[in-house]
Amino acid sequence: QVQLVESGGGLVQPGGSLRLSCAASGSPFFINTLGWYRQAPGKQREFVASRTRSGSTNYADSMKGRFTISRDNAKNMVYLQMDSLKPEDTAVYYCNARSPERNEFWGQGTQVTVSS
């Protein structure tokens, strides 16, 4: 019932910035939470940030102060602004959506590589 498509990944130097975008299909009333996870090679998928339709946000501790999540409810879009990027931020970043009944959906992922 929901499809998610990420974009905006790429190669960036340490200290640089990227903005990721995720477009969600379907009715906005079917989606409560939109957020981001990431998975580095050889690592488990980890939570990055999320934002509810009402505006409540959550961040992983390591992301606070560097990453900012924003959301456009009318356009069914969620964004992740990433600043002061470090090599350890290199990962595939996945968009995640949850309904009010906690049905969960995932995007295909977008690669972020931080390297000099």
Side-chain angles (χ1 to χ4, degrees):
Q1 292 178 290
V2 175
Q3 287 187 315
L4 305 171
V5 181
E6 304 98 331
S7 62
L11 176 65
V12 65
Q13 292 182 267
S17 299
L18 281 175
R19 182 200 272 188
L20 306 183
S21 300
C22 175
S25 67
S27 172
F29 297 105
F30 191 72
I31 302 171
N32 182 41
T33 304
L34 284 169
W36 296 91
Y37 289 72
R38 71 184 186 185
Q39 188 166 23
K43 304 291 185 180
Q44 297 185 47
R45 187 172 297 187
E46 66 175 340
F47 171 77
V48 175
S50 67
R51 187 176 179 94
T52 67
R53 184 170 180 84
S54 62
S56 179
T57 60
N58 266 312
Y59 292 92
D61 288 342
S62 62
M63 317 301 170
K64 292 180 179 179
R66 297 193 301 123
F67 292 7
T68 304
I69 190 169
S70 59
R71 182 171 176 174
D72 187 331
N73 291 332
K75 295 182 178 180
N76 282 350
M77 296 284 293
V78 66
Y79 308 91
L80 185 68
Q81 177 67 41
M82 304 185 295
D83 299 318
S84 301
L85 283 164
K86 306 173 182 179
E88 50 262 44
D89 294 318
T90 296
V92 177
Y93 285 71
Y94 296 91
C95 187
N96 170 268
R98 291 182 180 180
S99 73
E101 296 183 348
R102 301 189 70 80
N103 297 310
E104 192 168 57
F105 308 90
W106 295 92
Q108 82 287 349
T110 185
Q111 177 71 47
V112 172
T113 302
V114 184
S115 176
S116 59

